Amino acid sequence: METHQTILNQVLSTSTRAMASFSEKSMNVYILFTIIFGLGFLHATAELQKFTHTPKADGSLSFLVVGDWGRRGEYNQSDVALQMGDVGEKLDIDFVISTGDNFYDDGLTSEHDPNFEDSFTKIYTAKSLQKRWYSVLGNHDYRGDVEAQLSPFLRIIDKRWICLRSFIVDSELAEIFFVDTTPFVRDYFTVSEGHTYDWREVYPPKTYISAMLKDLDIALRQSTAKWKFVVGHHAIRSIGHHGDTPELKSHLLPILQANNVDFYVNGHDHCLEHISDKASPIQFLVSGAGSKAWRGDVQQINGNDVHFFYDGQGFMSVQLTQTEADIVFYDVHGHVLHKTNSSKKELHSSI
């Protein structure tokens, strides 16, 4: 369990640049706000920080999922945001999940980068979207100042924003495990294609990944939630542009299969997908269509494990009860493209 002093030290270390320009009074307000905001719903499980999110009075939970979005409203990002607001209101959502690549093309340059507000605060303005946004990092985010995107200072600019490398959201009914997948991909270290990645806190990557997987495995084994979701940026299974991620299939998938995970959710491919795992009940859900999409960029579909693929913009909703999980994919106009239902009393089925 982290102490108040430990968190205070973390806040001070990650926010030195922002505080340099603050008055003494502003600094004190900033520190106080961060401590109150953080400790109000945050504690540690193993090495993964856990956020508690209370479900509705009837025990149900609903949320939206969007990925690969941060383009200052361009490439239909604003249109997707508008439809998210409408669906969010109808479903009375509890929060939003972002699957990464939050700010294009190269993440944030600092805590004061206007892209944060231009691509987030000023775009997702609907009343229903004024809930916590739980976000993971994508490969484009790693091309900027990662520590800036993780900084508590951004929560002062917009209190919805919660982004860590890996963490857990516990709603009693469901536990959602967020995994930092970018360091798994070897090519980012060996074939940078002219890009610079912010690998602070990641080196050596083998040690970083091993510790992350160990913590995830422990947390999953300890979980008593009815539904288990794992969220990452990169796909384990996809027929989109990037396709499967071999490193995740080798190292992450066996842990999910061994711990009865229900859903793996990701972005990275700019499309919407639903694929079943052939070796377990896991459902792979891709929601990476928050702005720029890749029309016609699809690999050959083989077998009956691919239930749905859409190469346009859109997002996804999740509604959970003790016995049912309802997943719906929407396009940029808010039209329903695909539904799938999972039951704890029945096998997974698709509509």
Side-chain angles (χ1 to χ4, degrees):
M1 184 69 69
E2 291 184 300
T3 65
H4 287 58
Q5 186 60 48
T6 300
I7 292 182
L8 176 58
N9 290 339
Q10 292 175 346
V11 171
L12 290 171
S13 63
T14 58
S15 306
T16 300
R17 286 171 294 173
M19 289 182 178
S21 61
F22 282 13
S23 66
E24 182 176 353
K25 181 178 179 180
S26 298
M27 288 171 59
N28 291 336
V29 171
Y30 171 61
I31 294 172
L32 179 62
F33 180 94
T34 305
I35 293 173
I36 292 174
F37 182 84
L39 292 181
F41 55 86
L42 172 64
H43 60 281
T45 294
E47 296 299 324
L48 296 179
Q49 293 179 322
K50 179 179 287 190
F51 295 84
T52 300
H53 202 118
T54 306
K56 295 180 178 67
D58 63 1
S60 66
L61 188 74
S62 59
F63 54 91
L64 302 182
V65 183
V66 67
D68 303 79
W69 41 267
R71 298 182 185 273
R72 293 183 168 88
E74 297 180 356
Y75 295 97
N76 289 338
Q77 183 194 358
S78 294
D79 296 324
V80 173
L82 179 65
Q83 298 303 326
M84 287 175 62
D86 289 346
V87 173
E89 182 178 359
K90 292 175 184 176
L91 301 184
D92 187 22
I93 61 168
D94 297 284
F95 53 83
V96 179
I97 287 175
S98 170
T99 57
D101 276 3
N102 306 312
F103 302 100
Y104 284 94
D105 278 328
D106 299 313
L108 296 179
T109 58
S110 74
E111 296 164 327
H112 305 285
D113 189 338
N115 194 16
F116 177 72
E117 293 184 83
D118 292 344
S119 292
F120 178 58
T121 304
K122 297 177 181 178
I123 303 300
Y124 302 101
T125 57
K127 183 178 179 180
S128 67
L129 303 181
Q130 305 309 302
K131 309 288 178 69
R132 295 179 196 164
W133 281 58
Y134 297 110
S135 307
V136 290
L137 297 168
N139 54 296
H140 282 269
D141 300 312
Y142 262 99
R143 295 178 186 175
D145 185 341
V146 169
E147 295 301 320
Q149 195 167 153
L150 303 177
S151 173
F153 177 72
L154 296 185
R155 300 175 192 166
I156 294 180
I157 299 174
D158 194 317
K159 65 181 180 180
R160 296 176 292 174
W161 185 252
I162 298 174
C163 184
L164 289 81
R165 294 180 189 273
S166 297
F167 61 102
I168 302 170
V169 173
D170 181 5
S171 70
E172 300 176 15
L173 175 63
E175 275 197 285
I176 307 170
F177 303 81
F178 293 76
V179 179
D180 183 18
T181 60
T182 300
F184 281 83
V185 182
R186 298 186 192 92
D187 282 353
Y188 296 143
F189 294 89
T190 60
V191 187
S192 62
E193 297 181 341
H195 300 296
T196 300
Y197 291 86
D198 182 1
W199 295 126
R200 287 176 294 173
E201 308 301 327
V202 171
Y203 269 111
K206 184 176 181 179
T207 301
Y208 177 82
I209 292 169
S210 295
M212 185 199 315
L213 291 175
K214 179 181 178 182
D215 294 341
L216 176 65
D217 185 42
I218 292 172
L220 283 169
R221 283 191 279 111
Q222 292 176 343
S223 175
T224 59
K226 179 70 71 171
W227 301 97
K228 296 180 185 179
F229 287 73
V230 174
V231 177
H233 178 62
H234 296 77
I236 294 178
R237 286 292 321 282
S238 171
I239 60 170
H241 174 80
H242 295 293
D244 299 351
T245 306
E247 296 90 342
L248 297 184
K249 291 180 70 174
S250 297
H251 301 294
L252 179 60
L253 180 56
I255 293 175
L256 308 192
Q257 292 170 331
N259 287 286
N260 301 312
V261 168
D262 298 289
F263 301 98
Y264 178 77
V265 184
N266 64 275
H268 197 44
D269 272 332
H270 296 189
C271 58
L272 303 171
E273 300 181 64
H274 171 209
I275 302 175
S276 293
D277 186 21
K278 294 181 178 180
S280 77
I282 297 173
Q283 304 297 295
F284 302 109
L285 307 173
V286 179
S287 183
S291 59
K292 188 176 183 178
W294 300 324
R295 286 289 189 183
D297 198 346
V298 56
Q299 300 178 24
Q300 185 175 358
I301 300 175
N302 293 315
N304 57 6
D305 54 332
V306 178
H307 304 290
F308 166 70
F309 175 87
Y310 178 68
D311 57 354
Q313 291 110 340
F315 59 99
M316 185 180 86
S317 71
V318 179
Q319 291 180 280
L320 302 174
T321 66
Q322 286 290 331
T323 58
E324 302 290 329
D326 291 307
I327 315 294
V328 181
F329 291 88
Y330 307 84
D331 69 9
V332 67
H333 305 294
H335 299 145
V336 173
L337 298 171
H338 175 74
K339 297 180 180 180
T340 184
N341 170 268
S342 295
S343 172
K344 288 298 182 180
K345 295 181 179 179
E346 302 174 356
L347 295 175
H348 292 277
S349 62
S350 274
I351 299 176

